[in-house]
Amino acid sequence: KMNIKDSKILVLGGWGLVGSAICRRLMVHNPAQIIVTSLRMSEAEDAVNQLRNEFPNANPEMFIPECGNIFARNEHKDMDWNAVLSNPESRKTVISDIFNDLTDEVLKNSALYTVITKHQPDVVIDCINTATAIAYQDIYNTSNTVIRGIKNNNLDTEAIERLLSSLYMPQLIRHVQIVYKALLDAKTTLLLKIGTSGTGGMGLNIPYTHSEERPSKVLLAKTAVAGAQTLLLFLMARTPNGPIVKEVKPTATIAWKRIAYDKVYRKGRPIPLVDMEMANAKSVGDSFKFVDETGVNITGKDFESVFIDTGENGIFSRGEFTAISSLGQMEIVTPEEIAECAVFEISGGNSGKDVIQGMDAFTLGPTYRGGILQNSAVRQIDKLEKEHGIDSVAFELLGPPRLSKLLYEANIIKRICGNMKAFLNTTPEEMSAKSLALVSENGDLRAQMLSVGLAVMLPDGKNYLRGVDVKIPVKTGDIEIPVTEKEIEKWCFEGWVDLRTKSFIEWQQRITKIVNQVESIPAYETSSRYTYTKEYWDNFETFDEGKISGWVFEYEDHGWRFKR
């Protein structure tokens, strides 16, 4: 159970319709601090001032405004995004931040990472419509520019780079990576996402588009990004020692913030009022210009009307609002209802609306039958191995190369020593010499390793064997890359079969840990408490490559599941 009282809470998108409702709802539980973020500082300060006015007895300093585009670097977070992409240097930086490895440099320059680690909140509530922010960059129009350039043989660098910077999945993946790392580094306890279905709960028959085909591919792109984010959050929630992750996904029109008579805004700017006299009517010709001001009267005024403000979905006229909220259309859910549900979930309640919990409940995990049949399958494989006189080690189809490397190194140890006990009684120097002799003499074993893309580091640490292609280092598009001692160590860890003495020292340390783990189990203990027992390891009389590699992935690489 999460105690909101005296907790520090970061509300991303706290000025918006849902974000502001959640901030008000949180105040019922007396948090220590609420950090409110919005795209613009004026919005964040407005949200904070509203909270100070509504809760005059609260310490004014408990409300903190933060601003900027959380999907950008700190240096770009307050800039118009088109201006960022119009600059060749900043455009290249954007692409690098999306596609390159997630380095400390990328993290520490991220606006999102910075705001989370700066405040180190106990809870992060994300009310930003990530799907809209990413999908409405509209990869389709960007792609059309590139396609025309290819067709006309005048494709320029900017068009390609703009296309790369608008690709949905790489952006979303990098965003989730940054969120996860920031939450870990800030020691945040819980993340709650206010998600979206992208269609207001309607299906592929949704009639609301922005002049695209029906159903709108741009709208469905938003749904696809929203769905992908939910699955990534589902995996984050299944990550041991990480934050608790929840998502509430409204499936109706969220309304409303205010009803007013004012200027009508589109994309943050007033709609300029234009006119065309009847005398300037145009005749239908052979072509149509998308932009044509001839005969158009720029009045110098802005469009003003009565409207209902639905937050991020924009402002609607009476007619638009009536249509979209009609029975059988998107209908309505209020921000206060969403806030009540969200805060109830944060408090440890079960609203039944957390989609992560729903996916946990309704996905099909490991089964009893599968566990029983796994033993049968392994016995059949063992039988065929004996019949054909071969070891089935690794094909590098499952990945990662580190798994194949571990399996082949373990297989080499098994071929030389036969079991764990004998291996621990052999010196690392002797193992290194014998492994070199084995690889030199056994052409089949050598060919298998090289053919699946593994390199073999020889005992001298200066020479290696390889096939035509290698899995590690990962191809980056370069024909050649420099080799350093640091890179060699990295490659040996990630996917090179390592025959050096130091490798076998590490293997003996690993097997010693396994033995000590088993021997720490009390002799009288025969319950279901322990998994890795003497029986599991066949009393150390074997050297099972798969079992040992599974243990390594759990205890060394911390890759284990705790939800079934």
Side-chain angles (χ1 to χ4, degrees):
K1 180 178 179 179
M2 179 72 208
N3 191 357
I4 296 176
K5 187 179 186 312
D6 297 328
S7 293
K8 187 186 294 187
I9 301 175
L10 171 63
V11 184
L12 301 173
W15 180 75
L17 198 61
V18 175
S20 57
I22 286 177
C23 288
R24 290 193 298 270
R25 187 73 185 178
L26 286 169
M27 288 302 294
V28 175
H29 299 270
N30 299 311
Q33 196 174 70
I34 297 179
I35 303 101
V36 179
T37 81
S38 195
L39 184 62
R40 300 172 183 87
M41 181 54 83
S42 60
E43 296 169 346
E45 289 176 340
D46 179 51
V48 162
N49 289 332
Q50 286 183 38
L51 288 168
R52 288 171 179 162
N53 291 334
E54 191 166 343
F55 301 96
N57 295 328
N59 182 352
E61 300 304 314
M62 74 174 289
F63 305 113
I64 300 176
E66 290 280 4
C67 71
N69 179 358
I70 65 163
F71 303 99
R73 276 192 163 219
N74 287 313
E75 62 196 87
H76 302 148
K77 73 181 181 70
D78 299 315
M79 295 174 61
D80 176 79
W81 195 241
N82 188 55
V84 174
L85 295 184
S86 296
N87 181 288
E89 291 306 312
S90 59
R91 193 168 59 241
K92 286 179 171 59
T93 301
V94 168
I95 294 169
S96 173
D97 285 348
I98 294 171
F99 289 95
N100 286 355
D101 290 344
L102 185 62
T103 61
D104 286 341
E105 192 268 341
V106 172
L107 277 172
K108 289 174 182 176
N109 281 290
S110 159
L112 177 58
Y113 181 87
T114 299
V115 74
I116 292 176
T117 54
K118 171 185 175 182
H119 293 285
Q120 298 190 333
D122 300 296
V123 178
V124 172
I125 306 174
D126 183 2
C127 303
I128 294 171
N129 195 322
T130 307
T132 297
I134 292 177
Y136 275 21
Q137 294 176 59
D138 197 356
I139 195 173
Y140 295 103
N141 281 331
T142 313
S143 298
N144 287 336
T145 302
V146 172
I147 291 168
R148 282 194 300 271
I150 294 172
K151 182 178 179 180
N152 299 327
N153 200 29
N154 64 350
L155 184 62
D156 64 0
T157 300
E158 180 175 350
I160 297 172
E161 290 180 343
R162 280 183 175 267
L163 177 60
L164 287 171
S165 66
S166 67
L167 295 176
Y168 303 152
M169 285 303 107
Q171 287 185 79
L172 177 64
I173 291 166
R174 180 45 45 93
H175 172 68
V176 172
Q177 286 178 318
I178 290 173
V179 169
Y180 177 62
K181 192 68 171 67
L183 295 176
L184 288 182
D185 290 351
K187 296 180 173 55
T188 299
T189 302
L190 186 147
L191 166 69
L192 185 135
K193 171 70 180 171
I194 305 298
T196 181
S197 69
T199 63
M202 300 189 76
L204 296 181
N205 62 332
I206 180 171
Y208 308 101
T209 71
H210 299 288
S211 304
E212 311 97 3
E213 79 276 54
R214 178 180 170 190
S216 160
K217 58 178 177 283
V218 177
L219 190 61
L220 294 185
K222 182 168 78 167
T223 297
V225 172
Q229 184 177 25
T230 296
L231 268 178
L232 289 169
L233 293 178
F234 173 69
L235 297 185
M236 191 188 296
R238 286 182 163 238
T239 306
N241 304 317
I244 297 167
V245 180
K246 295 173 176 280
E247 180 182 359
V248 175
K249 194 182 283 289
T251 51
T253 304
I254 303 172
W256 59 92
K257 191 169 188 176
R258 65 180 180 130
I259 297 173
Y261 172 83
D262 204 341
K263 292 180 180 180
V264 179
Y265 282 75
R266 179 191 293 152
K267 295 182 178 179
R269 297 177 181 177
I271 298 177
L273 206 61
V274 299
D275 190 20
M276 178 176 281
E277 300 291 341
M278 298 297 293
N280 293 328
K282 296 180 179 292
S283 60
V284 177
D286 295 330
S287 63
F288 178 85
K289 293 182 179 179
F290 284 98
V291 179
D292 186 0
E293 294 185 5
T294 57
V296 176
N297 176 26
I298 309 296
T299 67
K301 300 178 181 179
D302 293 326
F303 193 173
E304 295 182 354
S305 188
V306 174
F307 57 77
I308 185 167
D309 185 347
T310 65
E312 70 136 38
N313 288 320
I315 58 177
F316 295 154
S317 69
R318 177 187 56 78
E320 290 169 332
F321 178 69
T322 302
I324 202 171
S325 61
S326 294
L327 192 64
Q329 296 302 297
M330 287 189 186
E331 303 181 11
I332 292 178
V333 61
T334 65
E336 290 74 26
E337 290 168 305
I338 298 169
E340 183 178 4
C341 180
V343 174
F344 187 58
E345 284 289 342
I346 293 170
S347 302
N350 182 4
S351 68
K353 301 300 181 184
D354 171 21
V355 298
I356 305 299
Q357 184 180 17
M359 291 180 70
D360 272 338
F362 296 117
T363 51
L364 184 61
T367 64
Y368 186 74
R369 182 174 188 270
I372 289 176
L373 292 181
Q374 187 265 359
N375 283 311
S376 173
V378 170
R379 285 196 299 271
Q380 290 182 62
I381 294 172
D382 287 341
K383 181 181 177 183
L384 277 175
E385 281 184 308
K386 290 182 176 65
E387 286 181 9
H388 293 275
I390 61 169
D391 287 347
S392 176
V393 184
F395 311 136
E396 189 38 43
L397 296 175
L398 171 61
R402 175 160 164 75
L403 173 57
S404 298
K405 160 230 171 53
L406 289 169
L407 290 169
Y408 272 109
E409 287 179 354
N411 181 255
I412 288 170
I413 294 171
K414 183 174 76 172
R415 288 170 184 260
I416 294 171
C417 298
N419 59 60
M420 292 184 178
K421 291 179 179 178
F423 172 56
L424 291 178
N425 290 325
T426 307
T427 67
E429 292 78 12
E430 188 178 355
M431 283 301 307
S432 181
K434 287 185 175 181
S435 67
L436 177 62
L438 174 64
V439 171
S440 300
E441 297 165 5
N442 193 322
D444 290 339
L445 172 63
R446 189 172 64 247
Q448 286 180 17
M449 292 188 291
L450 303 185
S451 298
V452 300
L454 300 180
V456 180
M457 173 58 72
L458 300 181
D460 61 9
K462 298 178 181 178
N463 296 287
Y464 64 93
L465 306 176
R466 57 162 295 170
V468 176
D469 294 311
V470 292
K471 296 290 184 179
I472 298 293
V474 177
K475 296 181 180 66
T476 59
D478 297 316
I479 297 175
E480 292 185 25
I481 57 174
V483 177
T484 64
E485 185 175 339
K486 182 179 179 181
E487 288 299 308
I488 286 290
E489 294 303 323
K490 181 172 181 284
W491 298 342
C492 283
F493 176 84
E494 292 178 347
W496 283 25
V497 176
D498 191 354
L499 306 185
R500 295 175 298 175
T501 298
K502 64 182 296 184
S503 173
F504 293 104
I505 292 174
E506 290 171 0
W507 269 103
Q508 289 195 335
Q509 291 171 344
R510 181 175 291 145
I511 301 304
T512 299
K513 287 179 182 178
I514 291 175
V515 172
N516 290 341
Q517 185 183 61
V518 171
E519 292 182 344
S520 68
I521 301 173
Y524 59 81
E525 183 60 73
T526 57
S527 72
S528 61
R529 179 179 173 185
Y530 297 98
T531 300
Y532 298 112
T533 62
K534 283 186 179 180
E535 288 71 25
Y536 182 86
W537 296 116
D538 300 318
N539 291 307
F540 312 122
E541 296 292 344
T542 60
F543 207 93
D544 190 307
E545 305 98 319
K547 284 185 177 181
I548 295 172
S549 296
W551 183 94
V552 170
F553 274 11
E554 176 173 346
Y555 285 93
E556 293 183 15
D557 295 0
H558 307 292
W560 57 281
R561 70 182 296 153
F562 72 106
K563 291 187 178 184
R564 287 177 174 81

